[in-house]
C-alpha cells in the first residue's frame, strides 16, 4: 500500500454527483422535482437506490449529463463500480434495464482470503465482476477489451461513493462507520444532557444494528438514532423493546413512533419538540427525518477526511482517516480520458453529505469536494 498525495472525488467526477435526494450537485442537471412529471413518478416520495424508479431517474440524468459535453452521442453501455453485491448489484441491473444497455459491474471488497475474481453472467447482457481485492480493478480494462466492451464516449461509468470511491470496503470502511456512530452518540448525548448514559446508548445502538432488527428499523440510521434517543429518555427500556419486536407486537418503526406520540406528554418538553418534528417528517415520507443527527454525521465525516499529516504511515491513514481509493481513482481518470462519462452515486443523505449554509460560509465543502489522502496498492 502506498500514499498517492491528497485529492478529492471531485478530481475524477467533478460535480456529476447525486446523493440520496437525487438533486445533482452540477446545477446544469435537473433535480428530482423537475424529473418527476416527465417520468410520471409519484409526488412526495424519493426513490431508493434499489428501486426501479431510482434507476429511471439515474438513466435520465446520465443522458442529460452526456448531452452536456457530447451532444448527440448516445449512451450504449454501462460500467458500475460498487462494493455490495445486493445493493449495488440490484441498482446496476435496474439501471441497465431502464436504459436498455448491456453492462458490467465491478463489485469489490478487501478480504483476507486468497485473491480471486468471480465472473457472473446475467440475463440481458449484464456481467458481475466480483473481486476480493480492490487491486483487481487494474485488470478490468483488459477484461472489457477482451469482451469487445469499449470504454469510450458511448460508455457511462457509475462510481458508488461511500465505501467504493472512498472508505473502501474491507480496507477503510470502518472509519465511515465510526463517523456515523460518533454522530449518533453526539446527537443523542447533546439532547439528553446530564441524563445521557454512554454505556446504555452503545448497548442499544449495537443491538439495534444487528440484522435481526433490520425488519423493524429497515436499517435506517435515522430510525436507530431516534430509538436510541427515546430509550435514553427512559420512556422505554431496551429489553422491553426487544421483547416486543421479537414477539411481533412491534412490527415497524412507524408503529413505534406512533406509540411514542401517544405517550409524548411523558417526555421532557425539549425532547417532545424534537419528537414532534421527527414524527411529522416520518408521516410526510421523509427517509431522513432526524436532521440533527445527519448534520452531525456530516461534521463527523468531514473531520475524518484529510485530517492526518502527509507523512503519516499508511496503516495509520487507513485506521483513522477516510481516504480515496487509489485503484478507483486511477481507472476513473483513465476512462474519463478515453471519453467515458463518469457519474457518482451515493445513498448517503444530502444532510450528511453537504454543509449547511453557515458551514459553507466557514469554508466547508460537500464530501465529494473534500480533500483527503489517496491510498492504494
Amino acid at each position: 500500500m502506498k500514499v498517492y498525495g491528497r485529492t478529492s472525488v471531485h478530481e475524477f467526477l467533478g460535480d456529476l454527483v447525486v446523493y440520496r435526494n437525487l438533486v445533482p450537485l452540477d446545477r446544469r442537471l435537473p433535480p428530482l422535482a423537475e424529473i418527476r412529471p416527465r417520468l410520471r413518478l409519484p409526488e412526495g416520495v424519493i426513490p431508493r437506490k434499489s428501486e426501479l424508479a431510482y434507476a429511471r431517474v439515474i438513466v435520465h440524468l446520465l443522458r442529460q449529463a452526456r448531452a452536456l459535453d457530447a451532444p448527440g452521442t448516445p449512451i450504449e453501455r454501462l460500467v458500475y463500480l460498487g462494493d455490495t453485491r445486493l445493493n449495488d448489484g440490484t441498482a446496476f441491473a435496474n439501471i441497465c434495464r431502464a436504459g436498455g444497455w448491456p453492462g458490467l459491474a465491478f463489485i469489490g471488497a478487501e478480504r483476507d482470503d486468497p485473491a480471486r475474481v468471480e465472473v457472473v453472467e446475467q440475463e440481458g447482457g449484464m456481467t458481475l465482476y466480483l473481486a476480493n481485492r480492490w487491486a483487481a480493478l487494474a485488470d478490468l480494462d483488459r477484461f472489457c477489451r477482451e469482451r469487445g466492451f469499449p470504454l469510450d464516449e458511448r460508455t457511462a461509468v457509475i462510481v458508488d461513493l461511500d465505501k467504493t470511491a472512498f472508505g473502501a470496503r474491507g480496507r477503510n470502511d470502518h472509519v465511515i462507520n465510526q463517523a456515523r456512530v460518533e454522530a449518533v452518540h453526539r446527537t443523542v448525548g447533546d439532547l439528553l444532557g446530564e441524563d445521557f448514559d454512554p454505556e446504555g446508548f452503545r448497548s442499544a445502538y449495537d443491538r439495534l444494528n444487528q440484522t435481526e432488527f433490520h425488519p423493524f428499523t429497515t436499517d435506517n440510521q435515522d430510525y436507530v438514532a431516534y430509538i436510541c434517543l427515546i430509550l435514553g429518555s427512559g420512556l422505554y427500556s431496551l429489553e422491553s423493546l426487544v421483547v416486543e419486536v421479537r414477539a411481533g407486537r412491534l412490527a415497524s418503526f412507524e408503529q413505534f413512533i406512533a406509540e411514542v406520540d401517544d405517550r409524548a406528554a411523558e417526555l421532557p418538553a425539549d425532547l417532545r419538540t424534537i419528537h414532534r418534528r421527527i414524527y411529522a417528517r416520518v408521516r410526510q415520507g421523509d427517509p431522513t427525518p432526524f436532521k440533527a443527527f445527519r448534520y452531525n454525521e456530516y461534521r463527523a465525516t468531514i473531520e475524518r477526511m484529510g485530517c492526518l499529516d502527509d507523512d503519516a504511515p499508511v496503516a495509520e491513514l487507513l485506521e483513522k482517516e477516510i481516504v480515496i481509493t487509489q485503484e478507483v481513482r486511477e481507472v476513473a481518470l483513465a476512462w474519463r480520458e478515453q471519453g467515458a462519462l463518469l457519474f457518482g452515486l451515493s445513498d448517503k443523505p444530502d444532510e450528511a453529505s453537504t454543509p449547511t449554509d453557515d458551514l459553507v460560509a466557514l469554508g466547508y465543502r460537500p464530501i465529494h469536494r473534500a480533500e483527503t489522502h489517496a491510498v492504494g496498492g
Side-chain angles (χ1 to χ4, degrees):
M1 288 286 175
K2 293 173 54 180
V3 182
Y4 292 82
R6 290 176 180 260
T7 187
S8 70
V9 171
H10 182 268
E11 178 196 15
F12 49 90
L13 294 182
D15 285 325
L16 293 179
V17 169
V18 290
Y19 295 105
R20 182 177 293 179
N21 288 349
L22 294 174
V23 177
L25 274 291
D26 189 321
R27 300 309 183 195
R28 296 175 298 171
L29 296 177
L32 177 61
E34 291 182 20
I35 298 173
R36 278 187 197 280
R38 187 161 186 172
L39 299 185
R40 297 181 180 178
L41 299 177
E43 293 291 335
V45 177
I46 299 174
R48 296 303 300 272
K49 190 175 178 180
S50 61
E51 298 173 356
L52 186 57
Y54 181 97
R56 294 176 62 209
V57 173
I58 296 304
V59 167
H60 182 82
L61 289 173
L62 289 174
R63 287 173 171 153
Q64 293 284 312
R66 180 76 294 179
L68 291 175
D69 59 359
T73 302
I75 295 173
E76 296 180 353
R77 64 196 72 87
L78 178 76
V79 170
Y80 190 113
L81 305 183
D83 60 276
T84 59
R85 181 169 181 173
L86 179 60
N87 198 17
D88 288 315
T90 300
F92 159 70
N94 284 341
I95 293 168
C96 285
R97 292 189 185 104
W101 303 320
L104 189 150
F106 177 96
I107 306 297
E110 207 85 5
R111 295 193 175 91
D112 292 333
D113 45 326
R116 67 187 296 266
V117 168
E118 179 185 0
V119 177
V120 180
E121 304 290 353
Q122 298 182 316
E123 294 181 1
M126 293 179 285
T127 302
L128 296 181
Y129 190 94
L130 310 173
N132 63 356
R133 296 289 189 279
W134 288 101
L137 258 175
D139 293 327
L140 196 62
D141 211 32
R142 174 192 55 78
F143 182 81
C144 289
R145 285 197 307 272
E146 290 176 352
R147 292 195 155 217
F149 196 96
L151 291 153
D152 57 17
E153 68 279 356
R154 294 174 185 263
T155 305
V157 178
I158 288 178
V159 181
D160 181 58
L161 298 190
D162 312 271
K163 304 186 179 180
T164 297
F166 54 75
R169 184 172 294 278
R171 176 191 292 176
N172 183 231
D173 56 316
H174 63 279
V175 190
I176 293 177
N177 297 337
Q178 289 168 2
R180 183 176 296 121
V181 174
E182 180 182 315
V184 180
H185 185 285
R186 188 184 299 176
T187 306
V188 174
D190 288 348
L191 291 172
L192 292 178
E194 294 181 356
D195 294 329
F196 180 56
D197 173 10
E199 291 185 7
F201 157 76
R202 192 57 198 247
S203 176
Y205 182 82
D206 289 345
R207 179 80 73 90
L208 292 169
N209 271 298
Q210 293 176 6
T211 306
E212 173 189 3
F213 297 98
H214 285 180
F216 172 58
T217 66
T218 66
D219 198 22
N220 183 316
Q221 290 297 302
D222 288 72
Y223 294 176
V224 173
Y226 171 83
I227 296 168
C228 288
L229 177 66
I230 296 303
L231 294 177
S233 75
L235 193 64
Y236 289 80
S237 72
L238 175 60
E239 292 311 316
S240 66
L241 179 70
V242 167
V243 168
E244 292 289 302
V245 172
R246 285 177 172 168
R249 290 190 292 271
L250 202 53
S252 69
F253 174 78
E254 288 77 10
Q255 180 187 349
F256 174 73
I257 196 171
E259 290 188 8
V260 172
D261 195 60
D262 290 339
R263 300 177 58 187
E266 301 174 45
L267 292 170
D270 52 347
L271 291 189
R272 190 159 60 244
T273 300
I274 292 293
H275 156 75
R276 285 173 175 162
R277 289 174 183 166
I278 294 173
Y279 189 37
R281 294 183 186 121
V282 169
R283 296 179 72 182
Q284 292 165 4
D286 188 340
T288 55
F290 204 161
K291 304 302 181 186
F293 154 56
R294 292 302 186 175
Y295 296 146
N296 277 331
E297 185 182 6
Y298 168 77
R299 291 291 294 267
T301 301
I302 284 292
E303 288 165 3
R304 286 167 169 78
M305 300 185 78
C307 57
L308 297 179
D309 293 336
D310 291 343
D311 59 356
V314 169
E316 185 178 3
L317 286 169
L318 293 176
E319 180 63 28
K320 298 180 179 179
E321 185 176 287
I322 297 172
V323 301
I324 301 290
T325 309
Q326 177 64 16
E327 294 89 340
V328 173
R329 177 194 185 195
E330 287 179 357
V331 296
L333 288 170
W335 294 342
R336 189 179 68 179
E337 186 67 22
Q338 293 167 208
L341 168 70
L342 273 84
F343 198 93
L345 299 186
S346 174
D347 202 35
K348 186 186 287 290
D350 294 54
E351 295 88 347
S353 306
T354 59
T356 54
D357 290 342
D358 59 326
L359 291 180
V360 170
L362 295 175
Y364 284 78
R365 298 178 174 186
I367 286 174
H368 75 284
R369 280 180 168 262
E371 284 202 350
T372 190
H373 293 93
V375 176

